[in-house]
């Protein structure tokens, strides 16, 4: 059985992930930096890592195995984990695909260059209840079809 690994620092759909995991009886591992440390983990499996820039990503890369399900909004991490044979979802329910990664990484690079030049765009829109429901529906359909 696959496990679900969650890049948990800024993940807005933790509750939805827990519900889906419970329904399919899957192990969930939340990975976060010590900046997000809490004693209140409600019996969930949390791994806390150093606050270094790539610490959570490195831990997730080491934990991920072929067939696992990953939830992250980090396109760079998604690209690496796809190469390991995992299934990677964004926090909005988008299933990342290997053939889209080059374009997505290029767009990310261009946005970073724009920010270096002082050009800022609006960030992503806030998660709505509809977005959360869409995420849950997408990952549920994926697991039903696995």
């Amino acid at each position: 059985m696959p496990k679900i690994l969650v890049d948990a620092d800024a993940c807005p759909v933790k509750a939805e992930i827990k519900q889906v995991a419970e329904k399919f009886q899957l192990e969930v591992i939340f990975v976060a930096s010590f900046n997000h440390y809490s004693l209140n983990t409600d019996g969930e499996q949390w791994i806390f890592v150093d606050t270094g820039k790539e610490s959570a990503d490195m831990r997730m890369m080491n934990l991920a195995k072929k067939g696992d399900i990953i939830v992250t909004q980090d396109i760079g991490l998604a690209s690496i984990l796809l190469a390991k044979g995992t299934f990677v979802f964004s926090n909005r329910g988008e299933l990342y695909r290997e053939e889209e990664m080059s374009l997505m990484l290029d767009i990310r690079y261009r946005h970073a260059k724009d920010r270096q030049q002082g050009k800022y765009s609006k960030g992503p829109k806030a998660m709505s209840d509809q977005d959360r429901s869409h995420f849950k529906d997408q990952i549920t359909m994926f697991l039903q079809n696995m």
Side-chain angles (χ1 to χ4, degrees), residues 61-100:
M61 285 186 273
N62 288 328
L63 290 170
K65 305 285 185 241
K66 184 176 182 175
D68 285 344
I69 297 163
I70 314 298
V71 179
T72 184
Q73 51 191 343
D74 182 329
I75 294 168
L77 178 61
S79 177
I80 292 166
L81 290 173
L82 280 173
K84 286 187 81 168
T86 65
F87 302 99
V88 185
F89 283 86
S90 74
N91 60 8
R92 295 192 182 266
E94 175 186 13
L95 179 62
Y96 291 120
R97 301 190 186 286
E98 188 75 41
E99 57 271 13
E100 300 166 346

Side-chain angles (χ1 to χ4, degrees), residues 3-4 25 27 49 85-86 91 99 103 105 124:
K3 64 184 170 292
I4 301 175
Q25 298 180 334
E27 176 185 15
V49 298
T86 65
N91 60 8
E99 57 271 13
L103 176 61
L105 289 167

Side-chain angles (χ1 to χ4, degrees), residues 53-67:
K53 185 176 179 196
E54 306 300 332
S55 296
D57 294 356
M58 291 300 294
R59 181 58 67 95
M60 290 187 67
M61 285 186 273
N62 288 328
L63 290 170
K65 305 285 185 241
K66 184 176 182 175

Side-chain angles (χ1 to χ4, degrees), residues 1 15 17 26 37 50-51 53 55 66 69 74 80 82 88 99 106-107 114 124-125 138 140:
M1 283 303 267
I17 292 167
L26 297 175
Y37 181 76
D50 290 337
T51 57
K53 185 176 179 196
S55 296
K66 184 176 182 175
I69 297 163
D74 182 329
I80 292 166
L82 280 173
V88 185
E99 57 271 13
D106 185 53
I107 291 168
D114 285 347
K125 66 178 182 151
Q138 291 299 106
T140 298

